[in-house]
Amino acid sequence: MAPRVRVLIVDSSPFVRQELARALAQDPGIDVVGTAADADFARRKMQSLKPDVVTLDLAMPDSDGLAFLAQVTRDPSRPIVVVSARSEPDGETARRALELGAYAVVSKPPQDLRTHLGALTADLRETIVAAARTRARFRALARGAATAPHLKADDLVIAIGVSTGGPLALQTVLAALSSYTPGIVIVQHMPERYTRGLAARLNCECALGVRQAVDGDPIEPGVALVAPGDHHLQITRDGASLGVRVVDQPAVNHHRPSVDVLFHSVATHAGANALGIIMTGMGADGAAGLLAMKQAGAFTIAQDEASSIVFGMPKEAIGLGAVDRIVPLDRIATEVAAWHARQRPLKETHEHDSDCR
């Protein structure tokens, strides 16, 4: 029998803590190991109880719930499921919570919780179990990455396109990769004011160096470049060297940055030396570009439906015949390592400077 998922409930309301604990305890696969009413108590409980998953209400009496979320998600191996009346699934607060690293957002009714408790806990139980499964596989991937051989790649490139649910998906994949990984270029659909912060947060959580791309940056092993919001990102080639252009051009597929713009440039300038990855997101941006990459000889991967927050972008790419491999989110890093091992013998590692403390 699989071990029970250890859950800590963080909520300012005694009634909600009691009702959620009672309802979740009815699931034979879940063990509610504790509850906490505020951020300080939650920190102490997380250290002492070591839960597998934490449910978090963003309405906290002693601190900003989003600020607390940003602190606790620095450890990507402990998923945080936001359960809050402040967080409608399509709302601004929910989007910000996902950007900060929440595994998922589950909305609770602002009133009459007892009437809606059954539907809420059914959704929450499923989310908690999925989060715990991702945690276990993340730790296994991280251990594998730490013991992997050292590779060198000068003209290889990995291109990633992602939208809704992307910050957590990127965190899961990038944190499981080692510093010898070929250079990575990323388009995440996100407003301009958020992309720099996203890159900085990922940089603190990864062996890779992660930063917002600047026009003219080289593509280097061990470095991931994130497209600035409101600008397209393209790759360029100068002999054997690859670099990036940050361009101010009209939106494509209603997006700027656009995954299609990035992927088409990768198809043109990298061809068979590229790996294309399309992950969770709404719409079809990136599908045509991924097909162009595949036709140019690149290997292509799509995140599967079960692990996608929104299956739109991967589904469209799969429908076009643009995908070589369809895998769960927690297996993408393994596929990256396998592709890399097929490309180059390994010679050296690359370390990145970090401002994280």
Side-chain angles (χ1 to χ4, degrees):
M1 179 180 293
R4 301 174 73 184
V5 180
R6 295 167 53 81
V7 177
L8 172 68
I9 297 171
V10 181
D11 197 293
S12 60
S13 165
F15 171 74
V16 173
R17 293 197 303 274
Q18 176 182 326
E19 290 299 306
L20 281 183
R22 181 185 61 79
L24 290 176
Q26 295 176 12
D27 190 312
I30 293 176
D31 182 14
V32 177
V33 296
T35 65
D38 56 48
D40 183 60
F41 203 20
R43 289 188 190 94
R44 285 185 277 146
K45 286 287 187 80
M46 289 172 70
Q47 290 180 342
S48 62
L49 298 175
K50 301 191 184 318
D52 299 315
V53 178
V54 177
T55 71
L56 173 66
D57 178 22
L58 294 177
M60 309 189 78
D62 61 338
S63 66
D64 181 331
L66 287 173
F68 177 73
L69 176 66
Q71 294 172 359
V72 296
T73 52
R74 289 174 183 170
D75 177 6
S77 69
R78 179 169 294 129
I80 308 296
V81 177
V82 170
V83 185
S84 177
R86 292 176 54 189
S87 303
E88 295 303 320
D90 297 324
E92 172 69 17
T93 303
R95 183 187 60 75
R96 185 65 180 137
L98 291 169
E99 287 174 359
L100 290 172
Y103 177 83
V105 176
V106 176
S107 291
K108 68 181 179 185
Q111 53 189 343
D112 197 15
L113 175 64
R114 187 171 279 123
T115 300
H116 301 279
L117 187 63
L120 169 62
T121 53
D123 188 15
L124 185 56
R125 287 175 189 170
E126 182 177 341
T127 303
I128 286 170
V129 171
R133 189 179 302 120
T134 297
R135 173 182 186 263
R137 291 177 180 172
F138 170 87
R139 289 190 163 189
L141 284 171
R143 287 194 298 269
T147 59
H150 299 296
L151 296 173
K152 182 180 188 307
D154 295 321
D155 60 347
L156 299 177
V157 62
I158 299 166
I160 300 176
V162 64
S163 185
T164 310
L168 176 61
L170 287 171
Q171 175 184 330
T172 301
V173 173
L174 297 184
L177 296 175
S178 294
S179 59
Y180 59 77
T181 304
I184 301 173
V185 285
I186 299 167
V187 164
Q188 159 73 65
H189 293 159
M190 187 176 282
E192 184 173 15
R193 62 188 181 277
Y194 294 125
T195 49
R196 187 179 300 278
L198 171 67
R201 180 171 64 81
L202 291 171
N203 184 65
C204 290
E205 297 168 352
C206 303
L208 298 164
V210 186
R211 63 175 184 265
Q212 182 168 280
V214 175
D215 190 53
D217 273 344
I219 294 174
E220 302 174 301
V223 176
L225 300 174
V226 178
D230 204 34
H231 288 78
H232 292 303
L233 184 67
Q234 301 173 328
I235 77 161
T236 61
R237 177 178 288 277
D238 181 8
S241 300
L242 296 173
V244 299
R245 291 185 62 217
V246 175
V247 295
D248 185 5
Q249 294 177 350
V252 174
N253 301 325
H254 308 291
H255 293 290
R256 189 172 65 178
S258 163
V259 181
D260 266 333
V261 169
L262 174 62
F263 282 179
H264 279 293
S265 72
V266 174
T268 299
H269 296 292
N273 282 353
L275 170 65
I277 304 172
I278 193 163
M279 299 196 295
T280 177
M282 187 178 299
D285 188 34
L290 196 68
L291 179 60
M293 287 183 62
K294 179 177 170 64
Q295 291 172 339
F299 187 71
T300 58
I301 295 171
Q303 183 179 348
D304 73 355
E305 182 173 7
S307 65
S308 295
I309 300 296
V310 179
F311 192 49
M313 287 165 53
K315 181 180 180 181
E316 291 295 330
I318 293 166
L320 284 183
V323 176
D324 290 310
R325 194 72 54 85
I326 305 169
V327 296
L329 175 63
D330 56 20
R331 281 201 54 81
I332 291 177
T334 300
E335 293 291 336
V336 171
W339 168 81
H340 186 196
R342 295 194 296 268
Q343 304 303 310
R344 292 286 188 275
L346 268 166
K347 301 192 166 177
E348 62 184 73
T349 59
H350 303 265
E351 301 296 334
H352 78 275
D353 295 329
S354 175
D355 294 328
C356 308
R357 296 292 184 266

